[in-house]
Amino acid sequence: MMAEIGVGLVGYKFMGRTHSNAYRQLPRFFDVDPAPRMTAICGRDEAGVRDAANTLGWESYETDYRRLIDRDDIGLVDVSTPGNTHRDVVIAALEAGKHVICEKPLANTLDEAKEMLAAARDAGTVNTVCFNYRRAPAVQLAKKLIDEGRLGTIRHWRSTYLQDFIMDPQFPLIWRLQKELAGSGALGDIAAHSVDLARFLVGDVSEVVGMMETFIKERPLEEAGAGGGLSASGGVETGEVTVDDAAAFLARFENGAIGTFEATRFAAGRRNQNGFEINGSKGSVAFDMERMNELDVFFVDDDADVQGFRTVNVTEPGHPYVGAWWPPGHIIGYEHTFVHTMKDLMDGIKAGKSPAPTFEDAYRVQAVLDAVERSAEGGGWTRPEVGGI
Ligand code: SOE
């Protein structure tokens, strides 16, 4: 009989729902051993978490993460809460000998990330961080082309992560706009994904120079019960926005490539445009999450008379993860990136090896974000602090 691992999920809003869906779908489409058992979900508001347990299909619920972690029937703790809670929940879970998956970014500060990395090493259990876009099949295909040398020497990384959900000045001061809860704004919430993708596809960043801007400095406080979601509504009183609305930076990579990163929540009409282009000596690839089943590729060795970018439909059974889903041409979506993340996590638990991006990878992402913040405060070119980890 297939083994099971009891999952305890902390958080039941947007990310809690994506993770719940992933655990439910995973064993139905992929052959995994252990298979996740949706043992308990945790949140502080009893009515909310009870509803979530019923709707999302969890066997039980807890209202205190410490009780969740104490349970013997839970082997994997999934932390899908706002950043200000990551450190405490993750460290408690690791100290209790659990495997841990944590939502991105790993922490709100580099110091917290360092403590979490140390705790993960001490625990020796499996750890990973949910930078889910790595698990889009087209991104995995880009990685394969790069690893096979088909783009040659990589020269350029160019990424944009564009959203527009807070453009309205009346949009309320949700947790994502408060430094003490979220750590940073567009930088940690969405540029973090681009940094993870850049590290995955190009390599480590050696230095950055950046800027950050907050266009709307004061916003209505959230109405009670609005829930902090992306479609929350505001009341009459206002409060200060303490994070960046937009961040942009230049980067040098250790392998000699150079990069540009732009992340904003003020790009009118761009709902969740997470895109990158990579140019190498032998070709280029371009990806846009809003067309996630496609990868644009260009190869300099193609015959001159037919040279040009072409679009690969990444829906063939031989493409990464795709064979588990539908016949060729039948596309997949955002939620599948989470199923793939959990698949690799289950394989990692079986093998006793943390799947990338590990806490160490996420620490290195955090170090880049931290360097951008220091640079934006007037530091000029700034190196991520990765010495001694
Ligand atoms: C909101 O900006 C958000 O949900 C991010 O928190 C996610 O990480 C990103 O995938 C989509 O946008």
Side-chain angles (χ1 to χ4, degrees), residues 14 104 133 161 163 165 176 189-190 193 230 272 334:
F14 181 14
K104 47 54 59 176
Y133 297 115
Y161 199 145
Q163 298 183 335
F165 73 99
R176 287 176 200 273
D189 191 31
I190 51 178
H193 281 298
L230 302 193
N272 195 42
Y334 170 70

Side-chain angles (χ1 to χ4, degrees), residues 196-210:
D196 177 66
L197 291 172
R199 287 193 64 253
F200 179 49
L201 295 165
V202 180
D204 265 314
V205 170
S206 56
E207 55 178 346
V208 294
V209 61

Side-chain angles (χ1 to χ4, degrees), residues 61-307:
Y61 68 85
E62 297 287 353
T63 53
D64 183 333
Y65 75 86
R66 286 166 286 241
R67 272 210 306 277
L68 182 91
I69 288 169
D70 276 350
R71 285 175 59 158
D72 292 335
D73 57 353
I74 286 177
L76 167 66
V77 174
D78 179 326
V79 184
S80 289
T81 46
N84 64 317
T85 57
H86 286 188
R87 179 199 165 279
D88 289 357
V89 183
V90 161
I91 291 181
L94 289 167
E95 286 177 351
K98 312 288 179 182
H99 304 299
V100 174
I101 176 168
C102 183
E103 256 303 324
K104 47 54 59 176
L106 179 59
N108 276 5
T109 66
L110 194 57
D111 284 344
E112 283 176 358
K114 191 175 264 176
E115 275 184 81
M116 292 158 82
L117 175 57
R121 286 179 175 156
D122 287 349
T125 52
V126 167
N127 63 78
T128 197
V129 175
C130 191
F131 281 114
N132 56 302
Y133 297 115
R134 277 190 186 211
R135 262 88 185 183
V139 172
Q140 294 282 328
L141 177 61
K143 169 76 171 158
K144 180 170 168 279
L145 296 177
I146 291 168
D147 286 353
E148 288 172 357
R150 289 162 74 182
L151 299 193
T153 305
I154 305 302
R155 310 274 193 227
H156 287 288
W157 165 270
R158 199 170 301 112
S159 64
T160 51
Y161 199 145
L162 312 177
Q163 298 183 335
D164 66 354
F165 73 99
I166 61 169
M167 282 188 60
D168 180 352
Q170 291 311 308
F171 185 88
L173 193 60
I174 62 171
W175 70 267
R176 287 176 200 273
L177 301 177
Q178 300 174 47
K179 193 172 176 63
E180 68 278 16
L181 301 182
S184 65
L187 183 69
D189 191 31
I190 51 178
H193 281 298
S194 304
V195 174
D196 177 66
L197 291 172
R199 287 193 64 253
F200 179 49
L201 295 165
V202 180
D204 265 314
V205 170
S206 56
E207 55 178 346
V208 294
V209 61
M211 60 181 164
M212 295 162 75
E213 188 55 63
T214 305
F215 302 115
I216 309 276
K217 301 195 168 27
E218 192 91 8
R219 287 182 180 272
L221 299 184
E222 209 179 341
E223 278 181 328
L230 302 193
S231 47
S233 54
V236 178
E237 292 198 25
T238 62
E240 194 194 347
V241 176
T242 44
V243 300
D244 52 294
D245 289 333
F249 55 99
L250 306 179
R252 290 185 198 284
F253 291 84
E254 279 173 6
N255 63 9
I258 62 173
T260 65
F261 294 75
E262 185 189 3
T264 179
R265 292 157 162 176
F266 275 72
R270 301 294 184 195
R271 301 291 197 242
N272 195 42
Q273 198 266 344
N274 172 10
F276 63 78
E277 180 167 307
I278 298 171
N279 312 116
S281 56
K282 288 165 61 172
S284 299
V285 291
F287 172 78
D288 176 352
M289 184 62 198
E290 290 185 337
R291 294 190 292 112
M292 66 166 283
N293 291 273
E294 299 173 358
L295 185 70
D296 289 339
V297 300
F298 175 92
F299 297 109
V300 296
D301 289 340
D302 281 353
D303 290 340
D305 57 347
V306 289
Q307 223 177 48

